[in-house]
Amino acid sequence: MQSKADIGRFIEDSDSELGISSLAIDSIPIELLVGIFKLSIHDNTHVEGVFRISQVCSHWRQATHNTPCLWTRPLRVDLRKGRPSQGVYLDGLSSWLGRSVPLPVNLTLLLGSSGISERILEEILKISPRWQCLRLRVAEVLWRPPLSLASLLAECRLDSLEKLDLGREAFSKDINLPAFPHFDNLPRLKSLTICIESSVVCMPWAQLTYLRLECDSPPDDALDTLAQCANLAVASIHISGWESGELTAHRDIITLTNLDTLFLAFSGLNKYVTPFFGCLAAPALATLTLDFSSMYSDMQWTRACFVDFQLRAPNITRLKIYFGDLTPEDLTTALQHAPSLAELELKYCSFFDDAVVSALYCEDVVKPLAPCLHYLVLHLIPKVLTADILAGMLASRWWTDSELATRLDLPAVARWTYLKFTGFRGQLWDRMADLQREGLPIRLR
Amino acid sequence: MVLLVTSDNEQFQTEKDIVERSVLIKNMLEDVGESDQPIPLPNVSSSVLKKVTQPSTGPTEIDVRGRYLSTASTTVESPSRPPILEQSQDETRKRTTDISEWDQKFITVDQEMLFEIILAANYLDIKSLLCRRWLQDGSQHDQGARPPEEIRKLFNIVNDFTPEEEAQIKKENEWAEDR
């Protein structure tokens, strides 16, 4: 117990100099006024927000103009030619960017087939040392930004750049610039989004912690690139499949020690996907998402290859699979080799059938499959499930609090914490609704 | 329960989890530990503390915990929440349409009170809950800033811009609309 004197002393120590007797708005300390301004501005409407506040009176205008951080929120800059009021746009942009000096800025450059306004681009390039985040966005489908733009960016001083998003499309070829420029001036870069057309792209790969890679060339180029990214924590890789089940050349295992999250999307006609896993080790990998929704052929899955990968990635707790032509045996084998798996999400996966469901059934006498699994999401699974079999499996992994309290030993599997089923109809819906009423944490959509 | 004493020596009894929404009070309680002693708030008057913490007649569907600051001798129950409780962004979003009406009533105070509330909110370190109410447009879903005219009216501020500044402002707005 503390005495009143202790409390009083604490308050004296922590009191600010603020008095509350002043009544005029001008008497609010400028730091507090600016603090209120910051809280009043939202990212989505920050341009209008900061203008509104700066247009109240000269005192507030001065306060906002002298507070660079109010002018640094993400700004979209339309670089396209052909704007009728280019002078007004340029002046406004110039004033806006000037008010954030010397702080880093976060810009999205909007590009289009009408070409690039040189004057606006010049204004943007002038402040390149202050770019913290730079994104390129294309306004029209199928249009690609010119390689000359990438070249200009690569020539800039990019001292502050931490996040560079060059878009998901490759740059259009330029006769005068046959190769992708070298970006060797990015001392702080941590996050990169890029589309590559070869493995010969000079970037500070080793310092990246986030990479979104679109590979418009053979998938081996993506592997060559990943081999240089030793420090990745999150990777989103978009590649085609291989023409055969074997890699074209021997390749050492690529070990991504810090990789926590991998999103892997396959597209195109080539049907072999598991070679990717044949040369990857990810001991810290927790979340693996496999997206086969853009494959135009029957995919080929080599079970043993994926199992070998799982042995090199033993800590996967979340597995998400979208579409794909695995067999029920492929999935069951994958689950058998995922001892830490806690969350499973499947979308349009016809291989999650009664056989897999039965394999997940928990019986005390049999070593259970996926013992840590407590989270299951099934989106629009086609008609391959029998309501009673699914309901039986779900019930075999569920106990009420009182049932758990009266058990002498712990169950061999985790209890469900989250079950979400989308697209269920008829008997499936009814049975799940029954279980819901019995207390299982089911969400039906 | 925690006993607060305002600058004009009025005592307020309230539950700990409610007053801890004020970072200042929360830190105090953490530093002094369990205590029956009253906590003095020498920079906050009773009228301001009441305004910051007591509900007005507001929307009725808002969470009713029935617990908010009240004078030591009285327990008042009301369906609406005092601003000190308005913590969760999710809750705030859910109640967007209500806030406008609530705000209208809440901000209907004289200028003297308004500034005292802002300063007290800063002193108590609950400014994120309170201060931004003044500049935000409760009628907008995203609660962007109020138009300058509204802010001027609310704070009784005179538009003292020169013609040159007005011209500059006009250009700014053209750019903002065109971008």
Side-chain angles (χ1 to χ4, degrees), chain A residues 50-65:
Chain A
V50 73
F51 275 157
R52 282 178 166 191
I53 289 168
S54 72
Q55 293 170 5
V56 170
C57 65
S58 54
H59 175 51
W60 286 27
R61 189 167 180 81
Q62 196 181 6
T64 53
H65 286 189

Side-chain angles (χ1 to χ4, degrees), chain A residues 1-4 6-8 10-11 14-25 27-29 32-33 35-37 39-42 44-61 65 71 74-76 78 83 85-86 88-93 95-96 99, chain B residues 7 24 27-29 31-45 48 111-112 115-116 118-120 122-123 127-128 131-137 140 142-148 151-152 155-161 165 168-179:
Chain A
M1 297 287 275
Q2 302 288 319
S3 69
K4 188 174 181 178
D6 290 330
I7 298 174
F10 173 78
I11 292 168
S14 58
D15 264 356
S16 70
E17 294 300 313
L18 277 177
I20 55 169
S21 57
S22 303
L23 305 180
I25 188 77
S27 69
I28 292 180
L32 175 54
L33 199 56
I36 297 171
F37 292 165
L39 291 167
S40 307
I41 296 167
H42 288 254
N44 291 343
T45 54
H46 71 101
V47 173
E48 292 76 12
V50 73
F51 275 157
R52 282 178 166 191
I53 289 168
S54 72
Q55 293 170 5
V56 170
C57 65
S58 54
H59 175 51
W60 286 27
R61 189 167 180 81
H65 286 189
W71 309 83
L75 184 71
R76 194 189 73 164
D78 192 345
R83 174 182 289 281
S85 50
Q86 178 150 315
V88 172
Y89 187 83
L90 196 60
D91 288 348
L93 178 67
S95 301
W96 181 276
R99 286 177 190 144
Chain B
S7 59
L24 175 82
N27 289 343
M28 282 180 188
L29 292 172
D31 281 29
V32 301
E34 288 293 322
S35 170
D36 295 332
Q37 298 298 320
I39 294 183
L41 298 173
N43 282 356
V44 185
S45 67
V48 171
Q111 291 296 302
E112 180 178 344
F115 300 130
E116 286 200 25
I118 290 176
L119 294 173
N122 183 61
Y123 171 72
K127 58 182 179 290
S128 61
C131 291
R132 56 180 168 180
R133 284 173 168 277
W134 312 116
L135 298 183
Q136 282 181 339
D137 187 348
Q140 290 187 10
D142 59 4
Q143 292 190 306
R146 293 177 190 275
I151 297 175
R152 282 189 208 117
F155 287 91
N156 205 15
I157 296 171
V158 176
N159 179 351
D160 60 351
F161 288 126
E165 285 171 323
Q168 196 185 15
I169 286 169
K170 195 178 162 202
K171 275 189 176 180
E172 281 174 0
N173 291 336
E174 282 175 21
W175 177 73
E177 281 171 23
D178 189 37
R179 49 180 284 282

Side-chain angles (χ1 to χ4, degrees), chain B residues 3-36:
Chain B
L3 191 60
L4 304 176
V5 182
T6 56
S7 59
D8 46 350
N9 223 22
E10 193 163 338
Q11 295 195 344
F12 288 80
Q13 186 102 37
T14 189
E15 290 184 31
K16 191 179 170 192
D17 65 333
I18 294 177
V19 291
E20 282 190 343
R21 304 296 169 90
S22 156
V23 176
L24 175 82
I25 297 175
K26 185 171 186 287
N27 289 343
M28 282 180 188
L29 292 172
E30 281 174 4
D31 281 29
V32 301
E34 288 293 322
S35 170
D36 295 332

